[in-house]
Amino acid sequence: LESYVRALKSISSESRWKQNGTELRGIGRNMDSLAIAYNKLDWGTLYEPGIAKQIGRTSGYLAEQYGKRRQRRMMQSFLEHGDKLVDDCVKSLTGTLKSADFKSVIENERTGLENNYRAYLNMTSLNGTAPLPDFDRTYLECRLKIEQAESMRRQCITMLQAFNRAHNALRKEMYNRRTYSEFADELFELNRQVLTLAELLKK
């Protein structure tokens, strides 16, 4: 999912439609500067300054508009194909996280820890000795890790489902007339969700 969102961000990058416009405006400015320099040489025909610059501006604008439309079509196609893949991936992952087998692993750890701790306390009580502070500390640390694992399981399910909904909504929104910045915000939110999920899974 992280790789998929990176590809999505790359396809939707502003640079894909800005670059040609920037280059064409630059060519127009350079041509205008050349005309001005040529006129100063007084070699004959004078060229009207500003024309090449304006042509560059207009050409740049047209190139950007064409690039935006082309990018939108590309994004629509990418999101259409990706939506089913994302949905299947999320359902598979959440299905595993919600499964009885997965939950029983955490529950077995919790039960085993509690039983071992009780057995230890009973043993120290029978021997007439006090529980060791290090043992208590280790028990509490292990208990905290188990609770964190359960919390992470629930968080992952919630975030995966939210990601799936956000992706599907973005796919539908791509068919509405919107500006780049409007749907770019949603892309960045998708990216934030995936990065947060990736960080959770690294723990």
Side-chain angles (χ1 to χ4, degrees):
L1 289 176
E2 192 175 357
S3 298
Y4 172 75
V5 171
R6 277 202 303 270
L8 202 57
K9 280 185 70 180
S10 175
I11 289 173
S12 65
S13 172
E14 277 188 341
S15 62
R16 290 189 177 273
W17 55 264
K18 272 190 171 180
Q19 185 176 348
N20 289 338
T22 301
E23 287 179 2
L24 286 169
R25 282 189 290 273
I27 291 170
R29 286 192 299 271
N30 291 340
M31 289 291 290
D32 202 50
S33 298
L34 178 62
I36 292 169
Y38 179 84
N39 288 344
K40 287 180 180 177
L41 295 172
D42 198 21
W43 283 354
T45 306
L46 294 177
Y47 292 93
E48 184 69 30
I51 293 176
K53 188 175 181 179
Q54 186 55 49
I55 290 173
R57 281 180 184 169
T58 304
S59 300
Y61 173 77
L62 292 173
E64 287 179 353
Q65 296 311 305
Y66 172 75
K68 284 179 183 179
R69 285 195 294 273
R70 190 165 174 267
Q71 183 186 48
R72 183 180 288 271
R73 287 194 295 271
M74 191 186 304
M75 283 285 294
Q76 286 170 343
S77 175
F78 195 83
L79 287 165
E80 283 291 347
H81 287 89
D83 200 51
K84 182 69 168 67
L85 178 65
V86 168
D87 187 58
D88 287 343
C89 185
V90 167
K91 283 178 179 174
S92 177
L93 288 168
T94 54
T96 300
L97 291 167
K98 289 178 176 180
S99 70
D101 288 343
F102 196 95
K103 287 189 281 189
S104 71
V105 170
I106 296 173
E107 191 52 43
N108 287 341
E109 286 294 321
R110 184 185 285 118
T111 303
L113 180 65
E114 294 297 330
N115 290 339
N116 288 341
Y117 187 62
R118 284 198 190 95
Y120 170 73
L121 292 177
N122 288 335
M123 183 188 71
T124 57
S125 178
L126 291 173
N127 292 341
T129 58
L132 296 172
D134 285 347
F135 197 92
D136 289 342
R137 192 178 302 111
T138 300
Y139 162 74
L140 291 173
E141 287 172 358
C142 290
R143 185 174 173 178
L144 178 62
K145 286 179 181 178
I146 291 170
E147 296 311 317
Q148 286 174 336
E150 173 58 21
S151 175
M152 189 184 300
R153 184 187 73 83
R154 290 194 301 267
Q155 279 183 279
C156 286
I157 292 170
T158 301
M159 292 196 70
L160 282 164
Q161 291 172 335
F163 175 81
N164 198 20
R165 287 192 301 271
H167 186 278
N168 186 259
L170 179 60
R171 178 187 65 82
K172 292 174 182 175
E173 282 297 319
M174 280 301 299
Y175 291 95
N176 297 330
R177 300 295 294 174
R178 304 175 74 202
T179 64
Y180 170 84
S181 59
E182 286 175 321
F183 72 78
D185 288 343
E186 292 174 10
L187 279 175
F188 295 143
E189 175 58 21
L190 279 180
N191 188 58
R192 186 196 65 76
Q193 289 181 14
V194 168
L195 290 177
T196 304
L197 184 61
E199 286 302 314
L200 272 175
L201 297 175
K202 287 174 187 175
K203 293 180 180 179

